[in-house]
Amino acid sequence: MSVPGAELAGVWGRNLEKTHAYAARFLVGAVAPSLDALLAMDLDAVYIATHPDSHAAICAQALRAGKHVLCEKPAAVNTRQLVEVIASAEQNGLLFMEAMKPPFFPLYRKLKAHLEEHPIGPVGYVRAGHCDATLAPDYPLHFPALAGGGIMGIGPYEAFLALDWLGPLKRVQTMGRLSAAGVDAFAIFQTEHEGGMAQLHTGLDLISCGDAMLAAPRGYVLLHANWWNPTRATIHSIDGRRVVLDEPFEAGGFNYEIEHFCNLIRSGTLESPVITHALSLGMAQLLESARTELGVRFPGE
Ligand SMILES: NC(=O)c1ccc[n+]([C@@H]2O[C@H](COP(=O)([O-])OP(=O)(O)OC[C@H]3O[C@@H](n4cnc5c(N)ncnc54)[C@H](OP(=O)(O)O)[C@@H]3O)[C@@H](O)[C@H]2O)c1
């Protein structure tokens, strides 16, 4: 286990064979025969890593069972579901955090510290995007029933980047095309925030670079691909100076957000100061606006 002081005490999956294989590989204490059985175990928290269509229901069940929750992105299918999950966490006095890994990577933290010490002014424009046409036809993102599409699969990272540097969302404009199954196969969404504007793209039928750029009055930052698992940033200043930051990550990169989450539990903090509930709601609003403008709706909506 790559997170100091944390232990994978139990796991549940709907496919028992796969779940046992997972438990053996990651040295998990016990395989629970059902989700109810898992939630009845003496656990501090659960980490939900199913597809987005099931996130809100499992979050609600875990919170009712008194467990703190770390839930993979996007934490719910839409804003309405996320509002309910957050309200349930607050009512039960439990920690709820959406798993959004980039801000916890060593490089991202180093970049923020560097810009504090060597400011280039407030970021006023963010450009980010990624398309992946290599995903197999049965990959979950191709299916509306699993709340798929590029906006839901890749878009959460881009929504995070825009909100993190530009602040609260004001409006979204989207262009794109749908797949035969009815999810977005390609989308460009531009957003206006209190601190500036972003141009974002995502897709399942093209290949693109996966880098990002943050523009400010006295310089710009290139976050090199893949920016959501960041290891290199180049800061170009208006005076011609160029600074390259390099910072590798360990153990897949999920370990940093999990360590942050565990520290919040230990200190009795019920909301992450990094991935705040307001930030998660902002991401949900941005994604929902972008996909509904394209006509992407999921079963039950
Ligand atoms: N792939 C990545 O690198 C990555 C990175 C960051 C975040 N995420 C996020 O992590 C989540 C999972 O993505 P993934 O790529 O890991 O998917 P995945 O490899 O298909 O794994 C999803 C798992 O969830 C289980 N599952 C799905 N729906 C379920 C339900 N309704 N009830 C119980 N179990 C269910 C699946 O079980 P079966 O095997 O029985 O289908 C499978 O074990 C998504 O929200 C995604 O955005 C993924």
Side-chain angles (χ1 to χ4, degrees):
M1 183 70 189
S2 307
V3 180
E7 185 192 348
L8 280 171
V11 62
W12 168 74
R14 60 187 174 182
N15 178 321
L16 212 57
E17 200 181 321
K18 277 161 84 173
T19 310
H20 275 286
Y22 175 91
R25 182 170 170 211
F26 294 103
L27 306 174
V28 185
V31 173
S34 66
L35 180 56
D36 282 336
L38 181 81
L39 296 176
M41 286 176 65
D42 182 21
L43 310 170
D44 295 314
V46 294
Y47 170 46
I48 299 168
T50 59
H51 303 139
D53 63 303
S54 55
H55 285 172
I58 300 178
C59 282
Q61 207 175 328
L63 291 165
R64 279 199 302 273
K67 309 300 186 206
H68 301 295
V69 169
L70 177 66
C71 181
E72 263 307 337
K73 56 79 189 163
V77 164
N78 52 38
T79 313
R80 179 186 55 75
Q81 284 187 354
L82 186 60
V83 166
E84 286 172 11
V85 169
I86 290 171
S88 171
E90 287 171 355
Q91 281 155 18
N92 288 291
L94 292 163
L95 168 63
F96 166 79
M97 180 181 135
E98 182 169 11
M100 176 49 61
K101 61 186 171 169
F104 304 102
F105 271 58
L107 185 281
Y108 201 92
R109 295 160 73 133
K110 190 173 183 173
L111 172 65
K112 286 230 161 165
H114 180 91
L115 293 180
E116 284 277 314
E117 216 177 305
H118 307 281
I120 55 173
V123 171
Y125 170 70
V126 170
R127 171 194 52 74
H130 179 57
C131 296
D132 189 350
T134 68
L135 303 173
D138 63 350
Y139 196 79
L141 287 186
H142 294 301
F143 301 100
L146 302 178
I151 290 172
M152 292 295 274
I154 300 167
Y157 293 127
E158 297 162 5
F160 159 75
L161 194 71
L163 290 160
D164 194 39
W165 292 94
L166 301 172
L169 183 67
K170 289 169 74 176
R171 66 187 172 125
V172 183
Q173 292 177 329
T174 315
M175 284 189 288
R177 56 176 172 265
L178 304 194
S179 70
V183 297
D184 50 296
F186 180 72
I188 299 175
F189 38 118
Q190 50 185 18
T191 56
E192 186 180 2
H193 302 253
E194 286 182 6
M197 290 164 211
Q199 285 179 309
L200 312 166
H201 77 262
T202 164
L204 307 176
D205 63 0
L206 300 174
I207 298 288
S208 75
C209 167
D211 65 352
M213 198 265 292
L214 315 171
R218 297 194 301 282
Y220 67 92
V221 178
L222 278 182
L223 277 165
H224 298 260
N226 290 332
W227 81 259
W228 57 94
N229 288 330
T231 57
R232 169 171 282 200
T234 307
I235 301 130
H236 298 256
S237 298
I238 198 167
D239 60 10
R241 273 183 309 131
R242 211 178 66 159
V243 175
V244 179
L245 304 178
D246 278 308
E247 204 62 53
F249 64 89
E250 293 169 355
F254 294 93
N255 42 312
Y256 303 109
E257 63 184 356
I258 295 171
E259 191 172 348
H260 171 80
F261 177 78
C262 292
N263 286 337
L264 295 176
I265 295 177
R266 288 190 194 100
S267 64
T269 311
L270 298 187
E271 183 176 349
S272 166
V274 181
I275 306 299
T276 61
H277 292 168
L279 180 68
S280 283
L281 286 166
M283 292 189 275
Q285 277 157 6
L286 196 162
L287 301 175
E288 190 172 351
S289 300
R291 72 178 170 81
T292 51
E293 210 178 321
L294 287 186
V296 176
R297 289 196 187 274
F298 300 128
E301 283 194 309

